[in-house]
Amino acid sequence: MSMLFALLSLMHVGAEPSEASRRDLCVLGHMVMADLPSGREAGSAYIETDPSRDELMKLCPTLARALPAGYLAADDDARSRAAEHAPTPGVQRPSALIVTIAIPSIAQDGRSATVMVTTECSGLCGSGTEYRYTRTHKTWRRQGKPRARWVS
């Protein structure tokens, strides 16, 4: 019986989300963006919006047009600066912090969800933070403070 359950689980992983679950995933993505710490100095905080790099943005393209104040859409220059993890000779480029929001994971009972948010930044810097949400009558509400899962 457990083998059948495992097989069914694997088949479900690749399934397209229903329109209702897609809507929930996009609402959660929007809520996570609203819950992010305010953008740092102007021009240094970015959100990964490229649908080929971020599955959430591919699933919910309208999120890329609703970035929170202080955040810009990541571009190749920002990605390049965030990937500089050691000082380079010559003129130092401005730092960059890129936030990537994973596709939310909704519990089977539909009452709770977790969302991983990762950051990559210039220097030896990066993190993974877990946001938890519970379903309310109308939408989702963050449950407690975001929890750091890893830091570099």
Side-chain angles (χ1 to χ4, degrees):
M1 185 63 150
S2 62
M3 182 64 118
L4 177 61
F5 180 77
L7 182 59
L8 289 174
S9 296
L10 286 174
M11 291 171 52
H12 179 68
V13 168
E16 271 298 305
S18 68
E19 191 56 38
S21 66
R22 178 187 298 260
R23 193 170 31 254
D24 272 340
L25 296 171
C26 295
V27 166
L28 281 161
H30 181 74
M31 297 200 71
V32 171
M33 286 196 318
D35 286 339
L36 290 173
S38 62
R40 295 183 182 180
E41 60 190 71
S44 70
Y46 300 86
I47 294 179
E48 185 56 75
T49 58
D50 184 347
S52 68
R53 294 174 180 262
D54 183 350
E55 293 180 15
L56 180 64
M57 295 299 169
K58 184 175 186 173
L59 188 68
C60 311
T62 58
L63 291 178
R65 296 187 297 272
L67 300 180
Y71 288 90
L72 302 170
D75 58 14
D76 287 340
D77 178 62
R79 289 183 200 99
S80 170
R81 289 185 287 134
E84 288 179 2
H85 298 299
T88 55
V91 177
Q92 295 300 305
R93 299 184 334 159
S95 64
L97 173 128
I98 298 180
V99 175
T100 302
I101 303 167
I103 293 178
S105 175
I106 299 175
Q108 285 186 324
D109 66 7
R111 295 181 187 172
S112 63
T114 57
V115 185
M116 285 300 299
V117 175
T118 58
T119 62
E120 179 182 17
C121 33
S122 305
L124 297 175
C125 159
S127 67
T129 305
E130 180 182 81
Y131 287 69
R132 292 177 163 246
Y133 291 85
T134 54
R135 188 183 295 275
T136 66
H137 295 95
K138 296 179 182 178
T139 188
W140 295 88
R141 184 180 66 207
R142 193 177 81 218
Q143 180 183 15
K145 294 181 181 179
R147 295 186 325 177
R149 293 313 221 175
W150 60 269
V151 178
S152 69

